[in-house]
Amino acid sequence: MKLKIGAGIVTFNPDIDKLKSTLMLLSPQVDCIYIADNASENISDISNMIEALKCDGCEARLMPGETNTGVAGGLNRIMKAAIEDGKKWVLTLDQDSQPERDLVKKLSRATKFDKLGIICPRIKDINSGRILVNFGEDTSKNDKKYQTLHSCITAGSMINLEAWNEVGGYDEYLFMDYVDFDYSIRLRKSGYRILQCNQVIMEHEVGNTEVHRFLFKKVGVMNHSAMRKYYITRNRIYCSYKYYRRFGFRNIVGIIKTIVLILCYEEDKKHKVSSVMQGVKDGIRDSKQFRGRDK
């Protein structure tokens, strides 16, 4: 029986040529591509490009948004639309992702296993050439065909829509960053697995990563914008309290490391450090609701 698989992309002021290339690679692999736009300034260009591709047989649906609801809000709109269309799985990608032409076919082989919430590939960062470490979990050294993960990023992941519905979708407070981490935790708490296909590798640009030597080891410097620095910091604190009821020593070390790397290697230092500190303040404030509860 053929799987009913869609693909989903959340867009915000995308590069039209890159988005077009992504859609053309996806079109032969899935039944429909759902595009949730977050109030892009170039929405008319996106719409015109999609209409042109439809003439070539590309099945794509544009869902314009009046406001920017972030990655989480866009993903939730995609999943709801896919469920209404009878889809069982949705492959999620970034607006500039370049998936292989048989990515869906390769990932779909794992749907034979029970209780899967997400099926994902290994992710190779385009800039550094390194296999991505998922929230501290090294996925590069396991040579088994499949590997169970604690979490995975959104790009390149096939989402089980039954599981998405059961756990209540993505947390829209998070907006961007840690959206995937939060969702992964709730999947596992509900008894679902996150399965990585180790023989499937998707190249993906993780920020504007540069590798530098700091003291006696190499470190990856992400070069995220000040806004991204804010959300990463705020949301890591928020999720730490949400699931572990504490700020955590690892968070303290991580924030100090972030500031040190900004000061040593990144531009716009003052703005970025200020954004990190604001993220600390807001993360602590907004996580008060989770304190004092049982784990």
Side-chain angles (χ1 to χ4, degrees), residues 32-50:
C32 182
I33 305 170
Y34 302 89
I35 302 162
D37 186 73
N38 274 328
S40 293
E41 294 178 1
N42 59 345
I43 185 63
S44 60
D45 294 332
I46 300 172
S47 179
N48 292 337
M49 181 267 292
I50 290 174

Side-chain angles (χ1 to χ4, degrees), residues 8 40 78 89 199 232 241 248:
S40 293
I78 288 168
W89 294 83
Q199 296 176 349
I232 290 170
Y241 276 115

Side-chain angles (χ1 to χ4, degrees), residues 15-291:
D15 179 297
I16 298 299
D17 289 335
K18 287 184 178 180
L19 180 59
K20 180 180 179 180
S21 176
T22 301
L23 298 183
M24 291 176 68
L25 288 168
L26 275 177
S27 181
Q29 302 189 53
V30 297
D31 298 328
C32 182
I33 305 170
Y34 302 89
I35 302 162
D37 186 73
N38 274 328
S40 293
E41 294 178 1
N42 59 345
I43 185 63
S44 60
D45 294 332
I46 300 172
S47 179
N48 292 337
M49 181 267 292
I50 290 174
E51 289 303 316
L53 286 179
K54 284 183 179 179
C55 296
D56 295 328
C58 178
E59 186 64 35
R61 183 193 302 181
L62 176 62
M63 298 180 289
E66 294 183 0
T67 60
N68 188 348
T69 60
V71 173
L75 287 173
N76 282 336
R77 286 157 54 202
I78 288 168
M79 303 307 164
K80 289 175 184 176
I83 288 175
E84 290 175 359
D85 288 348
K87 302 295 183 288
K88 300 299 181 182
W89 294 83
V90 168
L91 174 73
T92 53
L93 292 168
D94 288 354
Q95 62 190 22
D96 58 353
S97 296
Q98 294 291 292
E100 291 185 2
R101 296 183 183 275
D102 57 354
L103 177 64
V104 173
K105 180 180 179 181
K106 289 179 178 179
L107 293 179
S108 297
R109 292 170 183 158
T111 57
K112 61 186 178 182
F113 298 108
D114 294 329
K115 209 62 177 177
L116 295 184
I118 300 175
I119 303 170
C120 63
R122 276 181 170 160
I123 300 295
K124 182 179 181 181
D125 179 40
I126 293 174
N127 295 312
S128 68
R130 299 189 301 179
I131 298 294
L132 183 69
V133 174
N134 283 315
F135 299 98
E137 184 178 16
D138 191 347
T139 68
S140 64
K141 299 175 182 177
N142 193 321
D143 57 1
K144 294 182 180 179
K145 189 173 182 179
Y146 298 107
Q147 177 180 358
T148 299
L149 302 182
H150 292 296
S151 61
C152 68
I153 67 170
T154 302
S157 292
M158 265 179 49
I159 309 299
N160 180 340
L161 292 177
E162 181 179 351
W164 174 88
N165 191 54
E166 183 177 330
V167 303
Y170 297 92
D171 186 345
E172 295 190 19
Y173 164 83
L174 297 172
F175 196 75
M176 65 167 62
D177 291 302
Y178 278 77
V179 172
D180 37 23
F181 175 76
D182 171 85
Y183 183 69
S184 294
I185 289 180
R186 286 186 287 118
L187 277 178
R188 290 190 289 106
K189 283 180 174 288
S190 297
Y192 288 95
R193 283 198 299 153
I194 300 166
L195 193 69
Q196 179 175 266
C197 301
N198 285 335
Q199 296 176 349
V200 183
I201 296 177
M202 189 182 90
E203 292 190 346
H204 177 69
E205 187 171 24
V206 185
N208 298 308
T209 309
E210 297 176 348
V211 178
H212 294 272
R213 181 168 292 280
F214 182 76
L215 298 179
F216 302 105
K217 64 180 295 186
K218 292 182 179 179
V219 294
V221 178
M222 306 300 288
N223 292 302
H224 287 312
S225 67
M227 182 180 70
R228 287 288 306 276
K229 299 288 188 188
Y230 167 78
Y231 280 110
I232 290 170
T233 305
R234 187 197 71 165
N235 292 348
R236 75 183 296 171
I237 293 172
Y238 180 86
C239 287
S240 185
Y241 276 115
K242 183 177 180 179
Y243 295 109
Y244 309 114
R245 311 298 179 242
R246 62 182 183 273
F247 191 101
F249 178 73
R250 181 176 293 182
N251 277 334
I252 297 172
V253 172
I255 291 167
I256 292 173
K257 178 182 176 181
T258 296
I259 292 173
V260 169
L261 293 181
I262 290 171
L263 294 175
C264 289
Y265 302 113
E266 299 192 29
E267 298 179 354
D268 195 18
K269 301 180 190 298
K270 184 177 180 180
H271 190 194
K272 288 182 179 181
V273 171
S274 176
S275 295
V276 170
M277 298 312 298
Q278 187 64 46
V280 172
K281 179 182 177 181
D282 292 351
I284 293 173
R285 179 198 65 199
D286 295 344
S287 62
K288 287 181 180 178
Q289 59 185 301
F290 303 118
R291 297 177 208 175

